[in-house]
């Protein structure tokens, strides 16, 4: 007898029906188990794809954040430059205002000093 040979034994109709149902249930159980394994493999693939998408999105967000940080740094530098220029302008304006207020007195004092020296030199001759 070879492995492919079947032995047929007579069975009663209720017994044959029960065996057929058992055989069908085993087939269904095997099919459900195989389907469960396929679902598990698909879930693993979905999880892998989800993780890859998350990583891609994270990289994109990091690039956007770096770009925004660069732009923000450039804006802060421009603000610092503008504040420096403003401070220089304020200092120059304050000097001009001080000279405008003080110049007549300085000129008068200098003229008096020069005149005093001139008188002293003239009187001492």
């Amino acid at each position: 007898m070879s492995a492919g040979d079947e032995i047929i034994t007579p069975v009663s109709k209720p017994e044959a029906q029960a065996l057929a149902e058992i055989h069908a249930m085993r087939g269904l159980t095997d099919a459900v188990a195989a389907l469960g394994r396929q679902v598990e493999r698909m879930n693993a693939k979905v999880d892998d794809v989800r993780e890859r998408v998350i990583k891609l999105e994270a990289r994109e967000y990091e690039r956007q954040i770096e770009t925004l940080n660069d732009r923000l740094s450039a804006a802060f530098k421009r603000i610092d430059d503008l504040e420096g220029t403003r401070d220089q302008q304020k200092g120059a304006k304050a000097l001009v205002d001080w000279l405008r207020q003080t110049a007549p007195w300085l000129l008068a004092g200098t003229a008096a000093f020069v005149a005093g020296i001139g008188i002293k030199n003239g009187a001492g001759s």
Side-chain angles (χ1 to χ4, degrees), residues 2-124:
S2 66
D5 293 338
E6 293 184 19
I7 299 175
I8 300 176
T9 57
V11 291
S12 65
K13 189 173 183 178
E15 191 176 297
Q17 188 175 0
L19 288 174
E21 287 175 357
I22 290 172
H23 184 66
M25 290 297 281
R26 284 184 184 154
L28 288 173
T29 302
D30 291 344
V32 168
L35 186 59
R37 287 188 297 274
Q38 286 179 338
V39 168
E40 286 176 10
R41 284 192 301 270
M42 287 175 59
N43 282 339
K45 288 179 182 178
V46 167
D47 288 344
D48 182 53
V49 169
R50 182 177 51 85
E51 290 297 322
R52 289 179 189 212
V53 168
I54 288 170
K55 287 178 183 176
L56 288 172
E57 287 178 346
R59 283 189 209 130
E60 179 60 28
Y61 289 138
E62 287 172 3
R63 280 193 287 269
Q64 290 176 359
I65 288 170
E66 286 175 12
T67 300
L68 291 174
N69 282 339
D70 291 345
R71 291 175 64 193
L72 187 60
S73 294
F76 281 142
K77 185 181 180 322
R78 285 194 304 268
I79 289 170
D80 289 343
D81 292 345
L82 289 171
E83 286 177 343
T85 302
R86 182 200 62 203
D87 292 344
Q88 289 174 350
Q89 290 172 346
K90 280 183 174 180
K93 184 181 181 302
L95 177 63
V96 168
D97 290 344
W98 181 80
L99 285 174
R100 197 178 299 147
Q101 293 172 358
T102 315
W105 294 103
L106 284 175
L107 288 175
T110 304
F113 180 75
V114 170
I117 291 176
I119 292 174
K120 185 177 179 184
N121 285 338

